[in-house]
Amino acid sequence: MTARISAPPAPAPALPAYHSPAHVRAAPSHPDPYPYYGRLARERPFFRDEANGWWVAASAAAVTEVLTSETCLTRPLSEPIPVALQGGAAAEIFGRLVRLRDDEARAKLKEAVTNAVRSIDLGEVAALARRRAAELDDELGPTLDEASTTQFMFALPVQVIALLLGISRDRFGDVMGWLGAYGAAAAAAGTGIPALTPELLRSGHQGAQALFDLASAVGNAEAQRGPLFQALLREATRLGCDEEKDLIANALGYMVQGFAAMASLIGSTLLALARRPELFRQVEADRRYLRPLIQEVARCDTVTSSTFRFMAQDGEIAGHGLRRGDLIIVLLAAANRDPALNPEPDRFDIARRDRKSLEFGAGRHACPADKVAALIVEIAVDHLLTRGVPLERLEPCLSYAASGHVRTPLFKR
Ligand code: HEM
């Protein structure tokens, strides 16, 4: 009897190899950092990256511990302002933002910044955003392609904040250029991504000076001040914050903080819809699905992929001994994929119950503008969908901006 020899099973088609980002600061611009983030959250909750000389907090518990620790500061004590920025106008903004300081005066200033933004009427914000979106349609032209979608993503949110501050429309072009220049120089000086060049530094200082001059002029002209600027001055007076430059810098801070973040969340939400036709149909049928969709995008494709902290003194974090000055990269995006925070964290589910997300941070530096930001993003996406944004053309021309911490999709050919 001859043995029957069965043919060997056909090999499974090879999956494209997954290349992890080289390190955590390369992850925000990686096409898909999530398998890497998920693995870190589960397997390496808190570790030292010897090659790069920094610590990494990846699990939800470690991230929360760092963000709520009194020992972990937003800047090293020895260098509150990056040396490269010192002596120029960019340092005047950088060193005064509540986001980047932990000194004693900060607590009251943060309270004023928070109270002011939370006192703004969301109905007024929505009306302003819809009106500005319609104006932008005229300014950007009748064709909505990938380039004008990207322009809209960046323009609408920051211009709504500018209107809330009282900045007039004829300055919007300048303001966006100055914010971009200041932001690029500050990120380069603070993180090295992109590399700081003399040109970046020069235009960063120029942009910062121009922003400062403009905000001072608006702040000093009572009739011109918008409701957000009014509220900031009112709260600052009530709480006894009387350093004028602090108020000007933190009024600008509302735009600085929200600029790339809101644009990024709009872009990532459009991508989520482009990749999931059934979800797109659901949202087209009922725009009330947009809100939970944006919340799930913020959890699953986190805009502020990471932030960072520095040790104020020797101490213990997540059971490890750290030294004064040590840098910790805090992976909000990894923590959002930790099964201890959300069951089945890799499942994209807009109906997820009791969703937990660290997208807006935690502890004393938590974002005070989560509601305003999410509302503006929702109106922007709603508007783009109504105008027939070409979702199918976004993925083929997708790239991510060079950044060590923020995940910003760009659509350009
Ligand atoms: C989708 C949009 C946004 C996201 C994802 C976001 C996220 C964050 C995160 C994660 C932090 C904490 C950073 C840290 O702990 O190191 C933060 C801080 C902050 N955000 Fe937002 N943000 C957004 C929009 C905005 C907007 C529109 C404003 C202003 C109107 C704003 C104002 C601030 C301020 C002032 C801080 C500093 C708080 C402090 O350090 O005490 N953010 N944001």
Side-chain angles (χ1 to χ4, degrees):
M1 199 172 142
T2 48
R4 280 182 47 198
I5 301 171
S6 53
L15 292 172
Y18 179 73
H19 297 289
S20 290
H23 54 71
V24 291
R25 274 185 162 160
S29 55
H30 187 279
D32 180 14
Y34 295 105
Y36 169 72
Y37 280 144
R39 224 173 35 245
L40 291 184
R42 290 187 308 272
E43 297 167 16
R44 307 191 72 191
F46 190 85
F47 66 96
R48 171 110 183 136
D49 177 340
E50 290 295 348
N52 291 294
W54 57 51
W55 293 88
V56 177
S59 70
V63 163
T64 308
E65 182 176 339
V66 174
L67 293 182
T68 53
S69 162
E70 293 288 319
T71 314
C72 298
L73 310 181
T74 53
R75 290 293 307 158
L77 279 176
S78 58
E79 199 187 331
I81 299 171
V83 172
L85 286 189
Q86 286 172 20
E92 282 292 329
I93 297 184
F94 192 103
R96 292 177 184 278
L97 293 177
V98 290
R99 162 77 181 78
L100 292 162
R101 53 196 272 199
D102 291 281
D103 58 314
E104 232 170 79
R106 183 205 108 89
K108 279 192 175 167
L109 197 53
K110 167 71 184 273
E111 202 180 331
V113 164
T114 303
N115 291 350
V117 76
R118 294 208 176 135
S119 73
I120 295 301
D121 178 350
L122 292 181
E124 188 180 347
V125 174
L128 209 58
R130 291 199 189 284
R131 202 173 328 130
R132 184 63 199 144
E135 290 168 5
L136 272 172
D137 288 346
D138 293 337
E139 290 171 27
L140 296 177
T143 317
L144 191 57
D145 57 13
E146 50 278 26
S148 53
T149 300
T150 305
Q151 282 176 301
F152 183 93
M153 250 158 70
F154 279 91
L156 179 73
V158 78
Q159 294 182 1
V160 173
I161 304 292
L163 287 169
L164 289 169
L165 288 172
I167 294 171
S168 56
R169 286 168 172 73
D170 60 330
R171 308 310 304 272
F172 284 176
D174 288 338
V175 166
M176 288 182 62
W178 297 332
L179 283 170
Y182 164 74
T191 69
I193 304 174
L196 186 64
T197 61
E199 174 49 24
L200 215 52
L201 190 59
R202 193 191 55 74
S203 62
H205 283 316
Q206 264 180 6
Q209 186 61 55
L211 287 169
F212 228 97
D213 292 345
L214 178 64
S216 303
V218 174
N220 286 322
E222 199 178 342
Q224 202 191 328
R225 271 181 237 144
L228 184 55
F229 217 141
Q230 292 283 22
L232 178 62
L233 298 188
R234 183 193 66 229
E235 287 300 310
T237 307
R238 194 175 67 77
L239 292 159
C241 309
D242 49 14
E243 174 58 53
E244 194 185 325
K245 284 188 172 177
D246 276 350
L247 303 181
I248 301 298
N250 282 284
L252 291 168
Y254 290 130
M255 292 192 292
V256 170
Q257 289 296 136
F259 189 27
M262 288 189 285
S264 308
L265 190 49
I266 295 168
S268 298
T269 304
L270 294 177
L271 280 171
L273 287 170
R275 290 167 181 165
R276 296 176 182 81
E278 76 296 347
L279 205 55
F280 170 66
R281 280 191 291 276
Q282 207 179 337
V283 168
E284 278 297 75
D286 187 343
R287 288 295 161 83
R288 280 175 301 181
Y289 289 114
L290 261 185
R291 193 158 298 176
L293 166 66
I294 290 165
Q295 287 166 359
E296 188 66 344
V297 171
R299 185 188 72 81
C300 278
D301 203 2
T302 309
V303 164
T304 317
S305 293
S306 55
T307 182
F308 46 88
R309 293 293 188 268
F310 298 86
M311 291 296 282
Q313 61 198 48
D314 295 358
E316 194 173 295
I317 299 288
H320 296 258
L322 274 69
R323 307 297 304 273
R324 177 189 161 100
D326 277 359
L327 166 62
I328 309 168
I329 310 282
V330 187
L331 298 184
L332 306 177
N336 282 340
R337 297 296 186 112
D338 184 339
L341 196 66
N342 292 286
E344 294 183 70
D346 295 330
R347 186 167 49 84
F348 188 93
D349 179 3
I350 69 165
R352 185 176 280 279
R353 286 220 193 127
D354 195 21
R355 177 182 298 104
K356 301 217 172 52
S357 172
L358 285 154
E359 167 69 296
F360 288 97
R364 66 183 184 284
H365 284 282
C367 183
D370 49 350
K371 289 202 169 52
V372 172
L375 175 65
I376 297 173
V377 168
E378 186 180 325
I379 288 170
V381 176
D382 181 26
H383 185 87
L384 287 169
L385 290 174
T386 303
R387 281 210 59 208
V389 57
L391 290 178
E392 71 293 347
R393 286 168 55 179
L394 301 183
E395 188 95 48
C397 60
L398 168 67
S399 63
Y400 284 92
S403 167
H405 296 277
V406 181
R407 184 162 176 78
T408 303
L410 302 172
F411 308 115
K412 55 182 176 200
R413 292 214 175 264

